[in-house]
Amino acid sequence: MLIVDDATILRKLIRMTLEEIGHEVVGEAENGFKAVLKCADLKPDVIFLDITMPEMDGLTAIPKLIEKNPSVKIVVCSALGQKAMIIQAIKSGAVNFIVKPFEKETIKKVMQVI
């Protein structure tokens, strides 16, 4: 798993939840640009990707991440008011989404279906 969010606290929450349910987190990034670089090296199975970030947002990063690792599954993390962006992310290749703020149970449920 690769966790991409500009908020350190959210990266930690997602990491703790994933590790609690037995998944390995291979890396973290604070923006889409760094995520693309890490994706090429780490080849994660799943990426939890924020949409709104500095330098490179999640929507711009999705096709680049898929290009670096075509089998990756991307789960978009978004604020409630970003419905249009979530739809665009799914059309670009994301497989699922979670809405912020989220409970640990939400991450567990998403991981069961991907």
Side-chain angles (χ1 to χ4, degrees):
M1 310 287 157
L2 176 63
I3 302 165
V4 186
D5 199 304
D6 56 326
T8 305
I9 188 93
L10 286 172
R11 289 197 314 265
K12 287 182 181 180
L13 175 62
I14 295 169
R15 175 184 280 274
M16 285 177 16
T17 303
L18 289 170
E19 290 175 345
E20 272 178 26
I21 59 175
H23 295 285
E24 179 186 4
V25 176
V26 296
E28 295 182 15
E30 60 270 10
N31 61 56
F33 178 76
K34 291 183 179 179
V36 171
L37 295 175
K38 289 186 177 197
C39 184
D41 293 334
L42 300 175
K43 300 282 190 231
D45 297 322
V46 178
I47 299 174
F48 279 82
L49 181 67
D50 187 18
I51 290 180
T52 307
M53 297 177 288
E55 289 190 54
M56 181 188 293
D57 65 30
L59 293 177
T60 304
I62 289 171
K64 297 175 187 304
L65 292 165
I66 293 170
E67 180 182 317
K68 297 287 181 188
N69 184 1
S71 65
V72 72
K73 292 177 176 60
I74 298 172
V75 177
V76 174
C77 306
S78 171
L80 187 58
Q82 296 180 319
K83 184 176 180 180
M85 289 184 182
I86 292 171
I87 292 168
Q88 187 177 347
I90 298 293
K91 287 180 179 178
S92 296
V95 298
N96 211 331
F97 68 93
I98 57 176
V99 177
K100 297 179 194 178
F102 50 82
E103 301 291 325
K104 288 182 179 183
E105 199 60 38
T106 305
I107 294 173
K108 292 177 185 177
K109 286 178 184 175
V110 166
M111 290 307 298
Q112 290 172 352
V113 298
I114 62 170

